[in-house]
């Protein structure tokens, strides 16, 4: 199995885990554990890709990269940045700042959408 297929399988499993975690939002403890696992796993996946493909060096060649790779990088980097926003707002909600719950939910859907788009664009990005 090629590394690309291995990464795609992991990516799909992460998205399934995130979807399940979202469905468990009303069960706060379970939601937090599942989403934390998905986020950590996704960051580990990014590190795996970096160590096997030198992704940062390739990404830094912004002027010569194909458009689809640029789009993929936008969604991938944005997803990771949004994870930190989700962690921050989620921890605040857990500490009792319930007024952040709506914001956390909206940003959560944006994060999940970006993660799905990262997955979809990854099929085109790995073709180069």
């Amino acid at each position: 199995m090629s590394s690309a297929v291995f990464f795609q399988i992991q990516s799909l499993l992460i998205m399934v885990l995130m979807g399940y975690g979202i469905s468990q939002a009303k069960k706060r403890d379970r939601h937090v554990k599942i989403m934390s696992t998905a986020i950590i796993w996704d960051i580990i996946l990014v590190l795996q890709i970096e160590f096997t493909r030198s992704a940062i060096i390739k990404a830094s060649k912004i002027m010569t990269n194909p458009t689809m790779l640029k789009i993929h990088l936008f969604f991938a980097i944005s997803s990771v940045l949004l994870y930190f926003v989700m962690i921050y707002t989620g921890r605040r909600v857990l500490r009792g700042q319930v007024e952040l719950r709506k914001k956390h939910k909206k940003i959560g859907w944006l994060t999940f959408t970006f993660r799905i788009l990262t997955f979809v664009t990854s099929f085109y990005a790995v073709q180069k």
Side-chain angles (χ1 to χ4, degrees):
M1 175 181 345
S2 73
S3 64
V5 173
F6 182 65
F7 295 149
Q8 298 290 40
I9 291 169
Q10 283 188 80
S11 187
L12 178 62
L13 292 172
I14 290 165
M15 285 187 323
V16 169
L17 188 62
M18 287 179 132
Y20 180 64
I22 290 167
S23 77
Q24 300 299 305
K26 294 197 186 306
K27 298 173 184 168
R28 189 174 284 180
D29 288 341
R30 185 180 293 175
H31 172 75
V32 171
K33 288 176 185 174
I34 293 167
M35 297 310 284
S36 296
T37 300
I39 289 169
I40 291 167
W41 187 2
D42 206 17
I43 292 171
I44 290 170
L45 177 58
V46 170
L47 293 173
Q48 288 176 342
I49 293 168
E50 167 54 26
F51 290 133
T52 59
R53 294 187 183 163
S54 301
I56 293 173
I57 291 171
K58 289 179 186 171
S60 67
K61 297 175 183 170
I62 193 77
M63 297 305 284
T64 59
N65 285 337
T67 301
M68 190 49 76
L69 180 57
K70 292 175 190 176
I71 293 168
H72 171 71
L73 289 170
F74 168 76
F75 288 125
I77 293 167
S78 297
S79 294
V80 173
L81 294 175
L82 285 167
Y83 288 155
F84 292 105
V85 175
M86 292 305 298
I87 292 166
Y88 177 78
T89 59
R91 291 180 58 81
R92 300 297 275 242
V93 169
L94 287 173
R95 289 188 185 139
Q97 286 187 293
V98 292
E99 69 276 5
L100 286 176
R101 186 174 282 135
K102 276 188 176 181
K103 186 178 201 174
H104 180 75
K105 185 175 180 178
K106 284 181 183 179
I107 297 169
W109 281 111
L110 178 66
T111 304
F112 189 54
T113 301
F114 274 33
R115 185 57 184 82
I116 291 168
L117 291 169
T118 300
F119 178 72
V120 170
T121 58
S122 70
F123 288 98
Y124 301 100
V126 296
Q127 289 179 355
K128 183 174 191 282

